Amino acid sequence: MPSTTRSRVRTVLSAALTAAAAVLVYLALVVPDAVGRMKEGTFVAGAFLRVPIEIIIGGAILLVLSPRWRRPVAVLLGLGLGAVVVLKIVNVGFRQVLGRRFDVVLDPPLFKDGYNALTETDGRTYAMLAVVGAVLLTLAALAVCTLAVLRLTRATARYAGPARRGLVGLTAVWLALAISGITLFPNAPVASDSAADLLKATAKSVPTALRDQRKFAATAQNDPFRGVPPADLVSGLAGKDVVIGVVESYGRSALTDPAMSAVVGPVLAADEKKLAAAGFAARSGWLTSSTYGGGSWLAHASFQSGLWINSQQRYRQLTAGNRITLTSAFHDAGWQTVGMEPGNTVAWPESSFYGYDEVYDSRNMGYTGPRFGWSRMPDQYTLASFQKNAYAKRTKPLMAEITMTSSHEPWTNIPDTVDWDQIGDGSIYKPMAAKTLSRNTLWSNKPKTRDQYAKSIGYSVDNLISWATRYGNQNLVVVMFGDHQPIPLVSGENASHDVPVTIIAHDPKVLDRLADWHWADGLRPTAATPVWRMDQFRDKFFTAYRAEGGTALPAHR
């Protein structure tokens, strides 16, 4: 090849690489992290048609620097741009699952839980590949963005005059667009400063988290029930067996979304008839969960402790203290306390904080059947195990929390309800494993995913009600609540954090104490039913069932 031809090829390749670097930097700055959750009909191209102020500021800084400092500053800017890209990608994932952005201070522990969830649903190999892929993607983003900024820095230094004129023109355009307020994509003005705003918000989250740590520590110590004898806190339930059933991902959308309520509604109507036939009645309300899409343990902690537990930091602070929980109050008042946690695969140190005498999990419940998605065993088996190991053997009033996991995402396989006498060691469920769909296959079909989710809720609730009506007596009290709404794929964009909560009792005096709660009769709260924050439940529960004639306690908020 002649030298002139080689020179032209190099020139073309060099120009192409510079153009590619410019496009990469531009896209890294303007693409919003909400683009993955766009609503149908949204003008998606508007997310890309923006003028980023960061290019103007970064270009101006590099042009005025001396050659000695230009390269190291370019490296820093490139690494910063790479960090923006990584944060945006992580935010896309968090928005898809938890309906919010990633908190760089409070959320890193959730990566471990995400890895565990992938291991449970897709296998350890898939989870390890996901981790390796995430690490490589992070390194690649940092390296490629740095190289792109370095290349553009050399180009602007070589053509300083045109670069200055270009920056002046871009500045004028940006100011005009900022004044006009033109927006082509939701919450993403054409005059963009989103990358700078993201970095600023990330930097501010550090002192905010430190302040929250101190504030929460003080709040946790301010417990209005600390000096009340435990027996007085729950005296209105003396002699009763209290079972808290936590239905995974049971959110308001299951009852209010027409497509899903068409599946769940008939199940609840049939269950209400079962309860009535067995002499039970129910009252239902709404709670606003402290989490969304995942992080079930945060909701459990809020419900139990009367504190707003919305981060792993708060959860660790809570469980390191001695806050009175629902379970510990019953325990200290003389009840036998049992936890049924079929999703746990290792020891649960927090059980002593909550106040459990015994904990049954996937290691000691004797299950030999197949997995059902994330759930290691069907809820009906968990309830049968509870009946066999705890409820049937109780020698004094029992307080238990049973976590129902069959409605946990990904909803790829939902077990069938079988005859209670045929459950045995769970082998009866083995033929049902053949119906499993892959996560990708199911989640690519939104209507099917929502239908599967609704069926799983119906399965979980129906089995809890069936257990209560089959085995419960006049002393049984069941508290059933959802821990959080399902992921946005199911609950929809901007869904509330509300979940249903129900108290079921055979003794009418138990529900009479809730008259001033103004809850709806039956298993379905209405649009007019009051909505409380989840952390309010403990205090209202203690107030309703504490010793008659006790002094009213001051509000602690």
Side-chain angles (χ1 to χ4, degrees), residues 373-430:
W374 183 88
S375 182
R376 286 184 166 264
M377 64 191 71
D379 289 341
Q380 189 183 17
Y381 182 89
T382 299
L383 290 162
S385 177
F386 170 68
Q387 173 63 30
K388 174 184 176 182
N389 294 307
Y391 192 71
K393 294 181 178 180
R394 68 197 186 284
T395 57
K396 59 181 180 178
L398 176 71
M399 187 275 171
E401 180 175 293
I402 304 174
T403 300
M404 317 280 282
T405 61
S406 290
S407 50
H408 193 290
E409 60 90 5
W411 314 293
T412 50
N413 193 4
I414 303 165
D416 298 324
T417 297
V418 300
D419 188 286
W420 288 91
D421 294 327
Q422 301 298 316
I423 293 175
D425 63 1
S427 299
I428 192 172
Y429 295 106
K430 289 181 179 179

Side-chain angles (χ1 to χ4, degrees), residues 176-244:
L177 291 170
I179 294 171
S180 67
I182 297 175
T183 299
L184 301 178
F185 185 85
N187 301 314
V190 176
S192 170
D193 63 350
S194 60
D197 185 65
L198 178 60
L199 289 176
K200 181 175 70 174
T202 301
K204 289 174 63 177
S205 67
V206 176
T208 299
L210 295 176
R211 286 195 299 270
D212 180 74
Q213 187 175 22
R214 293 190 294 270
K215 179 181 177 182
F216 181 76
T219 301
Q221 290 301 314
N222 182 24
D223 191 341
F225 295 97
R226 186 174 299 280
V228 180
D232 287 353
L233 287 178
V234 292
S235 64
L237 294 169
K240 305 297 183 187
D241 299 306
V242 180
V243 174
I244 299 177

Side-chain angles (χ1 to χ4, degrees), residues 303-323:
F303 186 87
Q304 283 261 1
S305 71
L307 293 171
W308 190 246
I309 310 300
N310 60 350
S311 70
Q312 191 67 13
Q313 174 177 282
R314 286 191 166 202
Y315 180 78
R316 288 174 176 171
Q317 285 182 261
L318 170 71
T319 55
N322 59 356
R323 179 83 175 184

Side-chain angles (χ1 to χ4, degrees), residues 19-33 35 44-52 54-55 81-82 84-86 88-89 92 144-145 148-149 152 192 194-195 198:
V23 170
L24 173 66
V25 170
Y26 174 78
L27 292 178
L29 291 171
V30 303
V31 176
D33 54 24
V35 73
V44 181
F48 301 86
L49 300 177
R50 305 167 70 199
V51 179
E54 296 85 4
I55 283 183
L81 182 64
V84 168
V85 171
V86 173
K88 286 187 176 184
I89 293 173
V92 168
V144 172
C145 287
V149 171
L152 293 177
S192 170
S194 60
L198 178 60

